[in-house]
Amino acid sequence: MEKNKNLIISNPPNGVAGIKAIVVSMQQIAKRMSFFKAFKILQKLNQKNGTDCPGCAWPDPSHRSRLGEFCENGIKAIAEEAMDKKADPKFFSNNSIEELKKQSDYWLGQQGRLTHPMLLSSNNTHYTPISWNKAYKLIGDSLNALNSPNEATFYTSGRTSNEAAFLYQLFVRMFGTNNLPDCSNMCHESSGAALYNTVGIGKGSVTLNDLYKAELILIFGQNPATNHPRMLVALEKAKKKGAKIVSINPLKEAGLVNFKNPQTAKGLVGNGTKISDLYLQLKINEDVALLKAVMYKLFKKSASDSTILDSDFIKNNTIKFEAFKNEILSNNFDELVERTGLDITEINELIDLIVPRKKIIACWGMGLTQHVNGIDNIQEVVNLLLMKGSIGKEGAGTCPVRGHSNVQGDRTMGIAERPSKQLLEKISENFGFSPPTQNGLSVVESIEAMHKEKVKVFIAMGGNFLSAAPDTNYTTEALSKCDLTVHISTKLNRSHLAHGKMGLILPSMGRTDKLVKNGKEQFVTVENSMGVVHSSKGKLTPPSLQVESEPIIVANIAKATLKKSKVDWDFLTNDYGNIRDLIDKTIAGFENYNERVKNPVGFDLPNGARTGNFTTPTKKAKFTINKLSENNQKKDEFIMMTIRSHDQFNTTVYGLDDRYRGIYNGRMVVFMNPNDINNHNLEKGSIVSLYNNYNNKKREVSGFSVVPYNIPKGCLATYFPEANPLVPLELTAHISHTPSSKSVKVKIRK
Ligand SMILES: Nc1nc2c(c(=O)[nH]1)N[C@H]1C(S)=C(S)[C@@H](COP(=O)(O)OP(=O)(O)OC[C@H]3O[C@@H](n4cnc5c(=O)[nH]c(N)nc54)[C@H](O)[C@@H]3O)O[C@H]1N2
Ligand SMILES: Nc1nc2c(c(=O)[nH]1)N[C@H]1C(S)=C(S)[C@@H](COP(=O)(O)OP(=O)(O)OC[C@H]3O[C@@H](n4cnc5c(=O)[nH]c(N)nc54)[C@H](O)[C@@H]3O)O[C@H]1N2
Ligand SMILES: [Mo]
């Protein structure tokens, strides 16, 4: 078969950022908006009292760079959200659904901001304009026609503000269901569940200040140069203060090798900072084996050196230590090492770094959470920290690096399909109704229920459910079986094309849009990855007068649906401070919300694990026993991870390059070890199909170009969402139900 002539495969660089990052950012802006508009928003981006970057959830330092407190990918997020082009009613009349389906995700995104509410009525070929009032009535009537509130499901993506999220969950519970799946289900759910079980809070424990004080930082399964670029600034600072950094990742990610800080003059012209002191390229999903091997050796060494483990901490602050220790020592060390694919000397180097240090931070991303044993991965990381007494004190602790800019806040506001008893009690107390107590549906469960026609109305507050979810073909079928699908969105995406019998697109404001209500400029609030809550105010004129804010859309859906409601929805949306007053009364940690959020740097939410006051039932942290991954890869099978390129934000594709991996002008690629390429009689650029047969269902994608890459043998990497048709819906993590999109077994053929 012919090769893809447009695709350029080159050697990945030895480091990231520098002047090139600034050049690329400027090009992205030039393509999408005027420099005047860009300047207006960028000078306020992530500044105190400014606009929170809609991109990732990395926190802002207390001192903000005057050169600009943002990164290349933040600029791309802004340029994409605030682009001048518009997908208006004329665009929809010129393009049928069938025509739009043929276009790429990149093309769909480049058509511009949505400007008007649009309806796809039964059997129509095009979306056509509908008034807001008619749209709200259609939603209210459709919800009220259901046999039970559980026949509707209400998705949330992590850019939604605290105010919108709080109103949304309140409305959904007043309507009568806990069907509140959200993007966390596909993301850090495993972190939340594992941390809650072991240290009593489903969030990370560290602050930026802790990172600067750490002696050792372990980075598992994360690619910060692309996904949290400003984390590299913090890592550089930590290094300057003496921290050692270890990266544990099957891929050699350039940003974890060397970083030239574009926020400093030195970073622009100098050699940059070496980030990782040690880089362990283990096989996909063998983190538990590595951790067990390390802890095995720590126990052996501690027999003759009592300073290695923190015995006082273990004795006073933890439970189940003996059982854990026995399990670790029951392993065969050599077998563990063998599984990792690493050399024993590399593992010994890691052990040598851990032995003398007590202030250890573990950071992680999707490389740990998106596996069947996602919870085991994270609990095993916690075990290591507990052994060393590395939690609940300065410079030490857990650092799950969250995805969307407010994904953590949405959960705090009650977007949860399995809500806590406390939350339901507070809602009942404050709003005079009994919220449903039965657990609701997660993302995967919602897809199954839609497919079985048990859920008939699907409503999404942001996101791109279809492209983000696993098993694309099955999920398309599931959505198309609904009576009504509703998307509250800023931009056109593939989910709008996988509509139910009727489909609605409701155009929403984004983080950069300015909102004035009754002559008063409104702001919203968000929570970053380290539990700091702060305000965010948009600066730009919204793309059309028809575009509405998320809280107002929720309030109007509630008014059109709920026959009697004790909540005065108009009062709440007349001034967002009124919503915050309700949050203040309902959600723990938000006392005096409106006052405290006036602080330009925001305020910290309570975090027991941070101070060593574990909020578990026993008030102690818990050691756990965790399973190794199921290691039954057949001879011709590969384990495939699905990851992000440098030019995308989840399903939003900014461009076709992945500069830090040497790929230009194409996304349909499969990264492969050169030995595997030879053994399969393939070569650089060969076009292949990837397929599997999980649960006797045939799944296949084709047209992928082979890229020789520094990746362990037997492992592959592809981009999400292109490879999502291969991710089996049923293959999910224990307890958290997170799709296992980092360990998909596949076979390859020409
Ligand atoms: N620009 C940009 N920023 C983003 C996003 C984006 O798409 N674009 N997405 C946002 C969201 S929602 C999220 S959740 C985060 C995602 O941020 P990341 O978690 O950094 O995202 P991934 O690209 O999925 O990369 C996961 C990393 O895990 C590694 N990995 C895969 N399998 C394993 C394994 O078994 N073990 C180990 N140790 N490593 C493994 C991969 O090589 C890769 O480096 O970023 C957020 N920020
Ligand atoms: N195979 C595979 N699948 C994955 C992953 C993976 O690593 N591999 N990662 C998973 C992860 S970590 C996540 S978080 C999910 C992401 O899943 P989602 O959160 O569903 O996806 P996004 O791509 O972030 O959503 C983009 C859309 O959100 C809308 N949008 C953007 N900003 C706003 C806003 O301010 N308001 C509103 N109302 N709408 C807005 C736009 O219309 C845009 O098209 O994907 C998951 N899927
Ligand atoms: Mo995510």
Side-chain angles (χ1 to χ4, degrees), residues 138-208:
L138 175 63
I139 298 171
D141 290 350
S142 304
L143 288 175
N144 285 321
L146 297 173
N147 290 323
S148 141
N150 292 328
E151 288 183 356
T153 197
F154 299 84
Y155 178 65
T156 312
S157 165
R159 281 192 183 171
T160 293
S161 65
N162 280 355
E163 288 75 4
F166 182 80
L167 284 195
Y168 190 47
Q169 63 82 34
L170 180 62
F171 154 63
V172 169
R173 297 202 161 98
M174 284 183 147
F175 174 61
T177 179
N178 282 316
N179 288 349
L180 282 160
D182 90 322
C183 66
S184 280
N185 293 147
M186 300 180 270
C187 183
H188 267 294
E189 189 80 57
S190 307
S191 308
L195 291 173
Y196 186 76
N197 181 36
T198 52
V199 297
I201 177 167
K203 301 180 182 182
S205 73
V206 305
T207 63
L208 274 180

Side-chain angles (χ1 to χ4, degrees), residues 231-245:
M231 178 174 172
L232 294 178
V233 179
L235 292 177
E236 181 181 50
K237 191 164 169 185
K239 279 225 86 163
K240 286 211 175 105
K241 297 198 163 208
K244 295 282 179 193
I245 296 181

Side-chain angles (χ1 to χ4, degrees), residues 37-281:
K37 188 169 165 186
F39 177 73
K40 201 167 156 188
I41 188 80
L42 291 180
Q43 60 163 343
K44 290 286 174 198
L45 195 62
N46 292 332
Q47 297 295 342
K48 293 171 187 168
N49 289 322
T51 311
D52 182 56
C53 177
C56 80
W58 189 254
D60 303 314
S62 48
H63 174 77
R64 313 282 157 98
S65 168
R66 270 185 295 153
L67 277 173
E69 188 54 52
F70 44 76
C71 65
E72 174 189 332
N73 280 349
I75 293 183
K76 290 181 191 160
I78 294 291
E80 185 77 15
E81 173 171 307
M83 71 198 307
D84 290 332
K85 215 171 160 196
K86 288 170 189 167
D88 55 13
K90 194 157 161 241
F91 166 83
F92 284 101
S93 77
N94 287 341
N95 291 282
S96 70
I97 304 281
E98 283 315 308
E99 280 158 351
L100 291 174
K101 277 185 190 167
K102 291 181 203 145
Q103 302 291 353
S104 68
D105 292 309
Y106 175 57
W107 187 93
L108 293 177
Q110 294 321 298
Q111 303 318 302
R113 277 290 291 272
L114 296 162
T115 61
H116 287 70
M118 303 298 296
L119 167 73
L120 184 78
S121 47
S122 302
N123 302 323
N124 206 341
T125 53
H126 291 67
Y127 274 99
T128 55
I130 177 175
S131 72
W132 276 106
N133 278 342
K134 281 193 183 145
Y136 292 137
K137 186 167 182 318
L138 175 63
I139 298 171
D141 290 350
S142 304
L143 288 175
N144 285 321
L146 297 173
N147 290 323
S148 141
N150 292 328
E151 288 183 356
T153 197
F154 299 84
Y155 178 65
T156 312
S157 165
R159 281 192 183 171
T160 293
S161 65
N162 280 355
E163 288 75 4
F166 182 80
L167 284 195
Y168 190 47
Q169 63 82 34
L170 180 62
F171 154 63
V172 169
R173 297 202 161 98
M174 284 183 147
F175 174 61
T177 179
N178 282 316
N179 288 349
L180 282 160
D182 90 322
C183 66
S184 280
N185 293 147
M186 300 180 270
C187 183
H188 267 294
E189 189 80 57
S190 307
S191 308
L195 291 173
Y196 186 76
N197 181 36
T198 52
V199 297
I201 177 167
K203 301 180 182 182
S205 73
V206 305
T207 63
L208 274 180
N209 207 30
D210 290 319
L211 275 178
Y212 308 146
K213 302 234 160 97
E215 295 166 346
L216 177 64
I217 301 173
L218 308 174
I219 305 173
F220 291 88
Q222 219 206 316
N223 179 23
T226 288
N227 299 316
H228 307 90
R230 289 185 307 142
M231 178 174 172
L232 294 178
V233 179
L235 292 177
E236 181 181 50
K237 191 164 169 185
K239 279 225 86 163
K240 286 211 175 105
K241 297 198 163 208
K244 295 282 179 193
I245 296 181
V246 180
S247 292
I248 297 139
N249 196 316
L251 297 182
K252 195 81 163 262
E253 302 284 24
L256 292 169
V257 177
N258 193 288
F259 171 55
K260 293 182 187 172
N261 186 349
Q263 287 181 359
T264 63
K266 215 169 140 204
L268 291 178
V269 291
N271 292 331
T273 304
K274 179 182 170 204
I275 296 290
S276 298
D277 297 279
L278 177 66
Y279 207 118
L280 300 180
Q281 281 184 270

Side-chain angles (χ1 to χ4, degrees), residues 187 366 403-404 644 650:
C187 183
M366 298 299 100
H404 289 90
R644 292 151 171 82
N650 299 337

Side-chain angles (χ1 to χ4, degrees), residues 54 81 114 155-160 183-184 186-188 366 370 403-404 407 460-470 488-493 496 506 508-511 550 642-644 649-652 719-721 723-724 727 741-742:
E81 173 171 307
L114 296 162
Y155 178 65
T156 312
S157 165
R159 281 192 183 171
T160 293
C183 66
S184 280
M186 300 180 270
C187 183
H188 267 294
M366 298 299 100
Q370 294 175 333
H404 289 90
V407 62
M461 174 59 81
N464 181 357
F465 188 84
L466 170 62
S467 300
I488 301 163
S489 313
T490 51
K491 303 282 298 284
L492 181 65
N493 65 46
H496 303 134
L506 305 179
S508 159
M509 285 187 189
R511 201 68 64 71
E550 292 176 345
T642 53
I643 50 173
R644 292 151 171 82
F649 190 93
N650 299 337
T651 69
T652 300
Y719 297 132
F720 129 70
N724 282 32
V727 185
S741 42
K742 292 284 188 278

Side-chain angles (χ1 to χ4, degrees), residues 433-445:
F433 74 101
S434 305
T437 49
Q438 184 194 341
N439 280 344
L441 303 172
S442 66
V443 164
V444 166
E445 290 161 340

